Amino acid sequence: MNAHLFSHPSWVEVNLDQFRKNLSLVKKNQASPLFCLPIKANAYGHGLVPIARTAQDFGIDYLAVAHLQEGMVLRNEGIAIPILVLGAIHENQIADLLEYDLEFSISSLFKAELVAKQCAQMGKQAKVHLEVDTGMQRTGVRPLTAVPLYEYLLQTGHFSVVGIYTHLATGDSPDDPIAKEQIASFRTLLSDPIFEGRPLIRHLANSLGTLHFPEAHFDMVRCSLLAFGYPPKGAPPPFNELAPCFTLKSTVSYFKVVEKGKGVSYGHAYITPKTTRIVTIPIGYGDGYLRALSGKASVLIRGKRYPIVGNICMDQFMCDIGDDEVHVGDEVVLIGKQGGEEIPLSELAEAAGTIPYEILCLLNNRLPRRYT
Ligand SMILES: *Cc1c(COP(=O)(O)O)cnc(C)c1O
């Protein structure tokens, strides 16, 4: 395992000190008592288990994942704090959800009845969060159905209803009308007498919600992108102090001088404008570095930016370094800082026509994660 870690020419570096700084900053500025860190999709590419462990040691109250399988991995690795499985559950997962002491979302009477049956069989209580859809049209019961479903959950005796939550579809600014409407709708629901005096964890805010709607942090925020250090552009203080803890690196694997007028890589999409130096970087779309970035992204070598030229291949791509000097074995930064230069994640996301989340999630397990 370790040999693999250090023999692969491309890798992700995660700075856990910076990650902990980000957690502190969010925690200090949340208006809720509890902090949930969603770490689905390999903790946004940062590495599921090491991030969970760091968060647990830091004192994070809750982790959230999308699927049962992610929760099972965490429990098998000894993560003991509450874990909420956010995605809709499937009938064949219920026994494991109970066995692995995972909290999960209830968003229909149909599933709730299946869970109740399984609980009766296993002699266990399910710890659940009632998921309400206030405007995403994804999973979750409508506010009108939430009260009768809650009544059912209380009445069967098979459930410990730990929380009630909803999720924002928008939230780009503090006066976002759609988000405000969702918040108001959640608040109206919670004012129903049935919820009065119940020890429920009420939660709504993701990163944008945390940033823009402090009045809607309720009992817990569910904040990942901020925790990983990616506040949106123009974020107000103190959130503008958050910094990424993620760097994508590689190593120059080849160097050649190419004459003027030669085509580079598959399809010869790039023709050298003059005799120039071309270096090869051993990472490609097989690692999750999007082919859509061909001819659009840059890398840093020796603190200087160089353009990716020609099409990105499955395992490597080429850069034109002009007349500069670069050696085989030099470190390459594809996301992050080197010297005084930086390639921010947002730059790649824009170049690929996508959002930062997707760039991070796509970087797969062929890339070892190193923690500093
Ligand atoms: C992923 C997720 C979050 C975290 O979103 P960020 O924007 O990264 O903070 C919060 N809530 C739910 C339901 C999620 O799926």
PDB file of all heavy atoms in Angstrom, residues 59-82:
ATOM      1  N   GLY A  59     -13.950  16.821  16.694  1.00  0.00           N
ATOM      2  CA  GLY A  59     -15.148  17.039  17.503  1.00  0.00           C
ATOM      3  C   GLY A  59     -16.384  17.407  16.703  1.00  0.00           C
ATOM      4  O   GLY A  59     -17.341  17.967  17.246  1.00  0.00           O
ATOM      5  N   ILE A  60     -16.346  17.112  15.404  1.00  0.00           N
ATOM      6  CA  ILE A  60     -17.541  17.302  14.577  1.00  0.00           C
ATOM      7  C   ILE A  60     -18.657  16.420  15.141  1.00  0.00           C
ATOM      8  O   ILE A  60     -18.405  15.309  15.599  1.00  0.00           O
ATOM      9  CB  ILE A  60     -17.197  16.915  13.114  1.00  0.00           C
ATOM     10  CG1 ILE A  60     -16.298  17.974  12.480  1.00  0.00           C
ATOM     11  CG2 ILE A  60     -18.439  16.679  12.269  1.00  0.00           C
ATOM     12  CD1 ILE A  60     -16.955  19.306  12.262  1.00  0.00           C
ATOM     13  N   ASP A  61     -19.903  16.917  15.131  1.00  0.00           N
ATOM     14  CA  ASP A  61     -20.993  16.191  15.773  1.00  0.00           C
ATOM     15  C   ASP A  61     -21.556  15.065  14.921  1.00  0.00           C
ATOM     16  O   ASP A  61     -21.945  14.023  15.428  1.00  0.00           O
ATOM     17  CB  ASP A  61     -22.143  17.170  16.074  1.00  0.00           C
ATOM     18  CG  ASP A  61     -21.643  18.344  16.894  1.00  0.00           C
ATOM     19  OD1 ASP A  61     -21.393  18.139  18.085  1.00  0.00           O
ATOM     20  OD2 ASP A  61     -21.466  19.450  16.329  1.00  0.00           O
ATOM     21  N   TYR A  62     -21.603  15.292  13.614  1.00  0.00           N
ATOM     22  CA  TYR A  62     -22.290  14.382  12.705  1.00  0.00           C
ATOM     23  C   TYR A  62     -21.523  14.257  11.409  1.00  0.00           C
ATOM     24  O   TYR A  62     -20.953  15.232  10.921  1.00  0.00           O
ATOM     25  CB  TYR A  62     -23.658  14.962  12.331  1.00  0.00           C
ATOM     26  CG  TYR A  62     -24.845  14.302  12.994  1.00  0.00           C
ATOM     27  CD1 TYR A  62     -25.252  14.683  14.266  1.00  0.00           C
ATOM     28  CD2 TYR A  62     -25.553  13.314  12.328  1.00  0.00           C
ATOM     29  CE1 TYR A  62     -26.349  14.087  14.863  1.00  0.00           C
ATOM     30  CE2 TYR A  62     -26.659  12.716  12.921  1.00  0.00           C
ATOM     31  CZ  TYR A  62     -27.057  13.097  14.188  1.00  0.00           C
ATOM     32  OH  TYR A  62     -28.145  12.512  14.774  1.00  0.00           O
ATOM     33  N   LEU A  63     -21.573  13.080  10.818  1.00  0.00           N
ATOM     34  CA  LEU A  63     -21.133  12.918   9.437  1.00  0.00           C
ATOM     35  C   LEU A  63     -22.365  12.563   8.619  1.00  0.00           C
ATOM     36  O   LEU A  63     -23.324  12.009   9.154  1.00  0.00           O
ATOM     37  CB  LEU A  63     -20.104  11.787   9.324  1.00  0.00           C
ATOM     38  CG  LEU A  63     -18.796  12.007  10.083  1.00  0.00           C
ATOM     39  CD1 LEU A  63     -17.956  10.738  10.071  1.00  0.00           C
ATOM     40  CD2 LEU A  63     -18.007  13.180   9.490  1.00  0.00           C
ATOM     41  N   ALA A  64     -22.336  12.894   7.330  1.00  0.00           N
ATOM     42  CA  ALA A  64     -23.417  12.450   6.453  1.00  0.00           C
ATOM     43  C   ALA A  64     -22.799  11.860   5.197  1.00  0.00           C
ATOM     44  O   ALA A  64     -21.736  12.289   4.743  1.00  0.00           O
ATOM     45  CB  ALA A  64     -24.337  13.615   6.094  1.00  0.00           C
ATOM     46  N   VAL A  65     -23.463  10.838   4.665  1.00  0.00           N
ATOM     47  CA  VAL A  65     -23.042  10.215   3.407  1.00  0.00           C
ATOM     48  C   VAL A  65     -24.284  10.084   2.528  1.00  0.00           C
ATOM     49  O   VAL A  65     -25.404  10.308   2.986  1.00  0.00           O
ATOM     50  CB  VAL A  65     -22.398   8.828   3.652  1.00  0.00           C
ATOM     51  CG1 VAL A  65     -21.071   8.961   4.384  1.00  0.00           C
ATOM     52  CG2 VAL A  65     -23.342   7.908   4.434  1.00  0.00           C
ATOM     53  N   ALA A  66     -24.066   9.710   1.271  1.00  0.00           N
ATOM     54  CA  ALA A  66     -25.219   9.574   0.381  1.00  0.00           C
ATOM     55  C   ALA A  66     -25.798   8.169   0.471  1.00  0.00           C
ATOM     56  O   ALA A  66     -27.010   7.991   0.370  1.00  0.00           O
ATOM     57  CB  ALA A  66     -24.811   9.883  -1.053  1.00  0.00           C
ATOM     58  N   HIS A  67     -24.918   7.179   0.649  1.00  0.00           N
ATOM     59  CA  HIS A  67     -25.356   5.791   0.515  1.00  0.00           C
ATOM     60  C   HIS A  67     -24.936   4.922   1.695  1.00  0.00           C
ATOM     61  O   HIS A  67     -23.924   5.187   2.348  1.00  0.00           O
ATOM     62  CB  HIS A  67     -24.776   5.196  -0.773  1.00  0.00           C
ATOM     63  CG  HIS A  67     -25.271   5.868  -2.007  1.00  0.00           C
ATOM     64  ND1 HIS A  67     -26.582   5.818  -2.399  1.00  0.00           N
ATOM     65  CD2 HIS A  67     -24.633   6.633  -2.926  1.00  0.00           C
ATOM     66  CE1 HIS A  67     -26.740   6.504  -3.524  1.00  0.00           C
ATOM     67  NE2 HIS A  67     -25.563   7.021  -3.856  1.00  0.00           N
ATOM     68  N   LEU A  68     -25.685   3.853   1.861  1.00  0.00           N
ATOM     69  CA  LEU A  68     -25.397   2.839   2.877  1.00  0.00           C
ATOM     70  C   LEU A  68     -23.936   2.396   2.847  1.00  0.00           C
ATOM     71  O   LEU A  68     -23.262   2.340   3.882  1.00  0.00           O
ATOM     72  CB  LEU A  68     -26.313   1.620   2.640  1.00  0.00           C
ATOM     73  CG  LEU A  68     -25.891   0.315   3.321  1.00  0.00           C
ATOM     74  CD1 LEU A  68     -26.016   0.436   4.829  1.00  0.00           C
ATOM     75  CD2 LEU A  68     -26.734  -0.853   2.804  1.00  0.00           C
ATOM     76  N   GLN A  69     -23.463   2.071   1.650  1.00  0.00           N
ATOM     77  CA  GLN A  69     -22.124   1.504   1.507  1.00  0.00           C
ATOM     78  C   GLN A  69     -21.054   2.429   2.093  1.00  0.00           C
ATOM     79  O   GLN A  69     -20.121   1.959   2.754  1.00  0.00           O
ATOM     80  CB  GLN A  69     -21.909   1.243   0.003  1.00  0.00           C
ATOM     81  CG  GLN A  69     -20.525   0.889  -0.405  1.00  0.00           C
ATOM     82  CD  GLN A  69     -20.011   1.773  -1.522  1.00  0.00           C
ATOM     83  OE1 GLN A  69     -20.615   2.820  -1.835  1.00  0.00           O
ATOM     84  NE2 GLN A  69     -18.911   1.391  -2.117  1.00  0.00           N
ATOM     85  N   GLU A  70     -21.223   3.743   1.910  1.00  0.00           N
ATOM     86  CA  GLU A  70     -20.245   4.683   2.478  1.00  0.00           C
ATOM     87  C   GLU A  70     -20.301   4.648   4.002  1.00  0.00           C
ATOM     88  O   GLU A  70     -19.259   4.720   4.673  1.00  0.00           O
ATOM     89  CB  GLU A  70     -20.543   6.103   1.981  1.00  0.00           C
ATOM     90  CG  GLU A  70     -20.398   6.266   0.476  1.00  0.00           C
ATOM     91  CD  GLU A  70     -20.919   7.613  -0.042  1.00  0.00           C
ATOM     92  OE1 GLU A  70     -22.072   7.976   0.270  1.00  0.00           O
ATOM     93  OE2 GLU A  70     -20.191   8.302  -0.768  1.00  0.00           O
ATOM     94  N   GLY A  71     -21.486   4.506   4.535  1.00  0.00           N
ATOM     95  CA  GLY A  71     -21.641   4.425   5.979  1.00  0.00           C
ATOM     96  C   GLY A  71     -21.032   3.159   6.544  1.00  0.00           C
ATOM     97  O   GLY A  71     -20.401   3.168   7.607  1.00  0.00           O
ATOM     98  N   MET A  72     -21.196   2.054   5.824  1.00  0.00           N
ATOM     99  CA  MET A  72     -20.620   0.779   6.287  1.00  0.00           C
ATOM    100  C   MET A  72     -19.102   0.849   6.328  1.00  0.00           C
ATOM    101  O   MET A  72     -18.472   0.363   7.270  1.00  0.00           O
ATOM    102  CB  MET A  72     -21.083  -0.362   5.367  1.00  0.00           C
ATOM    103  CG  MET A  72     -22.543  -0.732   5.565  1.00  0.00           C
ATOM    104  SD  MET A  72     -23.194  -1.870   4.303  1.00  0.00           S
ATOM    105  CE  MET A  72     -22.358  -3.385   4.725  1.00  0.00           C
ATOM    106  N   VAL A  73     -18.510   1.452   5.305  1.00  0.00           N
ATOM    107  CA  VAL A  73     -17.048   1.599   5.287  1.00  0.00           C
ATOM    108  C   VAL A  73     -16.605   2.367   6.531  1.00  0.00           C
ATOM    109  O   VAL A  73     -15.664   1.972   7.217  1.00  0.00           O
ATOM    110  CB  VAL A  73     -16.578   2.331   4.007  1.00  0.00           C
ATOM    111  CG1 VAL A  73     -15.109   2.737   4.098  1.00  0.00           C
ATOM    112  CG2 VAL A  73     -16.821   1.473   2.770  1.00  0.00           C
ATOM    113  N   LEU A  74     -17.301   3.444   6.846  1.00  0.00           N
ATOM    114  CA  LEU A  74     -16.911   4.269   7.995  1.00  0.00           C
ATOM    115  C   LEU A  74     -17.026   3.490   9.304  1.00  0.00           C
ATOM    116  O   LEU A  74     -16.131   3.537  10.146  1.00  0.00           O
ATOM    117  CB  LEU A  74     -17.766   5.533   8.055  1.00  0.00           C
ATOM    118  CG  LEU A  74     -17.518   6.528   6.920  1.00  0.00           C
ATOM    119  CD1 LEU A  74     -18.523   7.669   6.989  1.00  0.00           C
ATOM    120  CD2 LEU A  74     -16.091   7.073   6.976  1.00  0.00           C
ATOM    121  N   ARG A  75     -18.116   2.748   9.482  1.00  0.00           N
ATOM    122  CA  ARG A  75     -18.286   1.963  10.712  1.00  0.00           C
ATOM    123  C   ARG A  75     -17.212   0.870  10.795  1.00  0.00           C
ATOM    124  O   ARG A  75     -16.626   0.649  11.852  1.00  0.00           O
ATOM    125  CB  ARG A  75     -19.674   1.323  10.757  1.00  0.00           C
ATOM    126  CG  ARG A  75     -20.785   2.305  11.078  1.00  0.00           C
ATOM    127  CD  ARG A  75     -20.753   2.763  12.548  1.00  0.00           C
ATOM    128  NE  ARG A  75     -21.893   3.618  12.846  1.00  0.00           N
ATOM    129  CZ  ARG A  75     -21.808   4.905  13.151  1.00  0.00           C
ATOM    130  NH1 ARG A  75     -20.623   5.501  13.206  1.00  0.00           N
ATOM    131  NH2 ARG A  75     -22.885   5.615  13.402  1.00  0.00           N
ATOM    132  N   ASN A  76     -16.927   0.213   9.652  1.00  0.00           N
ATOM    133  CA  ASN A  76     -15.894  -0.827   9.655  1.00  0.00           C
ATOM    134  C   ASN A  76     -14.526  -0.261  10.004  1.00  0.00           C
ATOM    135  O   ASN A  76     -13.666  -0.968  10.506  1.00  0.00           O
ATOM    136  CB  ASN A  76     -15.822  -1.528   8.293  1.00  0.00           C
ATOM    137  CG  ASN A  76     -16.978  -2.497   8.099  1.00  0.00           C
ATOM    138  OD1 ASN A  76     -17.539  -3.004   9.086  1.00  0.00           O
ATOM    139  ND2 ASN A  76     -17.355  -2.747   6.863  1.00  0.00           N
ATOM    140  N   GLU A  77     -14.326   1.018   9.727  1.00  0.00           N
ATOM    141  CA  GLU A  77     -13.050   1.667  10.038  1.00  0.00           C
ATOM    142  C   GLU A  77     -13.065   2.285  11.434  1.00  0.00           C
ATOM    143  O   GLU A  77     -12.161   3.038  11.795  1.00  0.00           O
ATOM    144  CB  GLU A  77     -12.732   2.736   8.995  1.00  0.00           C
ATOM    145  CG  GLU A  77     -12.431   2.182   7.616  1.00  0.00           C
ATOM    146  CD  GLU A  77     -11.091   1.461   7.535  1.00  0.00           C
ATOM    147  OE1 GLU A  77     -10.191   1.780   8.353  1.00  0.00           O
ATOM    148  OE2 GLU A  77     -10.950   0.578   6.672  1.00  0.00           O
ATOM    149  N   GLY A  78     -14.113   2.032  12.183  1.00  0.00           N
ATOM    150  CA  GLY A  78     -14.127   2.453  13.579  1.00  0.00           C
ATOM    151  C   GLY A  78     -14.639   3.859  13.841  1.00  0.00           C
ATOM    152  O   GLY A  78     -14.476   4.385  14.935  1.00  0.00           O
ATOM    153  N   ILE A  79     -15.265   4.463  12.841  1.00  0.00           N
ATOM    154  CA  ILE A  79     -15.866   5.785  13.073  1.00  0.00           C
ATOM    155  C   ILE A  79     -17.117   5.582  13.926  1.00  0.00           C
ATOM    156  O   ILE A  79     -18.020   4.826  13.551  1.00  0.00           O
ATOM    157  CB  ILE A  79     -16.214   6.483  11.738  1.00  0.00           C
ATOM    158  CG1 ILE A  79     -14.960   6.672  10.884  1.00  0.00           C
ATOM    159  CG2 ILE A  79     -16.926   7.813  11.989  1.00  0.00           C
ATOM    160  CD1 ILE A  79     -13.886   7.555  11.466  1.00  0.00           C
ATOM    161  N   ALA A  80     -17.168   6.274  15.063  1.00  0.00           N
ATOM    162  CA  ALA A  80     -18.220   5.981  16.045  1.00  0.00           C
ATOM    163  C   ALA A  80     -19.275   7.072  16.167  1.00  0.00           C
ATOM    164  O   ALA A  80     -20.320   6.859  16.771  1.00  0.00           O
ATOM    165  CB  ALA A  80     -17.574   5.730  17.406  1.00  0.00           C
ATOM    166  N   ILE A  81     -19.021   8.265  15.638  1.00  0.00           N
ATOM    167  CA  ILE A  81     -19.981   9.362  15.794  1.00  0.00           C
ATOM    168  C   ILE A  81     -21.199   9.124  14.890  1.00  0.00           C
ATOM    169  O   ILE A  81     -21.143   8.299  13.982  1.00  0.00           O
ATOM    170  CB  ILE A  81     -19.325  10.745  15.512  1.00  0.00           C
ATOM    171  CG1 ILE A  81     -18.803  10.841  14.080  1.00  0.00           C
ATOM    172  CG2 ILE A  81     -18.227  11.035  16.524  1.00  0.00           C
ATOM    173  CD1 ILE A  81     -18.230  12.205  13.732  1.00  0.00           C
ATOM    174  N   PRO A  82     -22.305   9.839  15.147  1.00  0.00           N
ATOM    175  CA  PRO A  82     -23.496   9.622  14.321  1.00  0.00           C
ATOM    176  C   PRO A  82     -23.221   9.844  12.830  1.00  0.00           C
ATOM    177  O   PRO A  82     -22.481  10.766  12.455  1.00  0.00           O
ATOM    178  CB  PRO A  82     -24.479  10.671  14.842  1.00  0.00           C
ATOM    179  CG  PRO A  82     -24.043  10.954  16.231  1.00  0.00           C
ATOM    180  CD  PRO A  82     -22.553  10.801  16.237  1.00  0.00           C
TER     181      PRO A  82
END
